Amino acid sequence: MAESDWRRVDDYIRDRLIPADPALDAAQTAAAAAGLPAIEVSPTQGKLLQLLALIAGARRILEIGTLAGYSTIWLARGLAPGGRLVTLEADPHHAAVARSNLAAAGLADVVEVREGPALDSLLGLEGPFDLVFIDADKRNNPNYLDWALRLSRPGTVIVCDNVVRRGRITDPENAEGDVTGTRALFDRMAAEPRLDATALQTVGAKGWDGFVLAVVR
Ligand code: SAH
Ligand code: DHB
Ligand code: MG
């Protein structure tokens, strides 16, 4: 099996289940034009985020790591009527592109983009959130998990992206900050009685990776 097979099947699923969406397409085009890295979730993953928000009946969503707002749009489309989303982004250029994309998607009044290092912004937030999506600097994953718990209630859904990274997570030679940060996330989840968690590996248009899905007891 090769990456081209994963992509072909991902495209097959997208073509049948995920209709082209002008706002999401425009957000990707604007992100590329602005020179942002193409590290947003794939369409099939974005749709999963929307479905999780819908299943949770989410009225308040917190996202850590906005980039151009692509995953933000998916999550915001899963909000219950009248719901709100706060997304945290350290890079001013990314935040500006995201605000423009969110406005173009008609979500300017639904989503607040808070600019600055997430660990600073988190100090000023009040919970509880119904769903937290962690997708920023991976070295801080254990800190973001602590914050997600602090800003949660029983039933809060926590999703953390990119926890497999082509299997680097289990490579004993690998001591990069993002890998050690994600290992620390797993250790903390394992020791946390308030969480029921699993992680799923994914293959597709974004290669081989995976995500954590957890629920607060
Ligand atoms: N969730 C997005 C992708 C996010 S990429 C999507 O799927 O569409 C990760 C983002 O986290 C980048 O935009 C990066 O600038 C941001 N980031 C990195 N370190 C951060 C920090 N300490 N605080 C807030 N954002 C951070
Ligand atoms: C990277 C970050 C992401 O959030 C992602 O989904 C893929 C890659 C990165 O920093 O390389
Ligand atoms: Mg990601």
Side-chain angles (χ1 to χ4, degrees):
M1 286 297 283
E3 299 232 12
S4 58
D5 296 308
W6 304 343
R7 177 177 288 279
R8 190 181 69 252
V9 175
D10 228 11
D11 290 349
Y12 176 94
I13 297 166
R14 182 202 59 203
D15 290 347
R16 276 152 193 81
L17 302 181
I18 308 181
D21 181 303
L24 286 164
D25 293 349
Q28 274 182 323
T29 305
L36 272 55
I39 56 173
E40 76 282 3
V41 295
S42 68
T44 50
Q45 291 165 348
K47 180 77 177 272
L48 175 67
L49 292 174
Q50 182 193 56
L51 292 172
L52 289 171
L54 287 167
I55 292 165
R59 302 187 58 84
R60 293 195 72 206
I61 296 178
L62 170 62
E63 178 180 65
I64 306 176
T66 316
L67 192 64
Y70 183 78
S71 57
T72 320
I73 295 172
W74 275 114
L75 284 165
R77 296 240 177 99
L79 279 166
R84 305 258 304 155
L85 187 155
V86 181
T87 183
L88 312 181
E89 176 55 54
D91 185 310
H93 181 49
H94 296 183
V97 174
R99 284 195 188 98
S100 160
N101 284 336
L102 290 159
L107 293 167
D109 296 334
V110 173
V111 176
E112 180 195 349
V113 181
R114 283 210 191 180
E115 205 173 304
L119 290 175
D120 294 346
S121 300
L122 284 161
L123 285 165
L125 291 182
E126 258 185 67
F129 288 91
D130 307 311
L131 188 154
V132 182
F133 179 48
I134 301 171
D135 193 21
D137 50 328
K138 316 305 178 193
R139 68 179 58 237
N140 273 315
N141 274 344
N143 296 324
Y144 296 146
L145 179 68
D146 286 351
W147 271 107
L149 280 164
R150 213 168 283 152
L151 297 172
S152 72
R153 53 153 176 89
T156 293
V157 176
I158 300 172
V159 182
C160 184
D161 198 21
N162 310 117
V163 298
V164 173
R165 305 300 284 271
R166 297 177 183 276
R168 284 159 59 209
I169 188 78
T170 57
D171 174 2
E173 308 283 298
N174 195 316
E176 291 168 59
D178 58 339
V179 169
T180 58
T182 299
R183 286 187 193 131
L185 170 85
F186 274 101
D187 292 343
R188 211 163 286 204
M189 285 192 302
E192 177 51 70
R194 284 175 293 169
L195 281 178
D196 271 324
T198 189
L200 288 180
Q201 301 184 68
T202 54
V203 294
K206 295 279 168 173
W208 173 27
D209 211 324
F211 63 91
V212 155
L213 177 62
V215 178
V216 179
R217 285 183 192 269

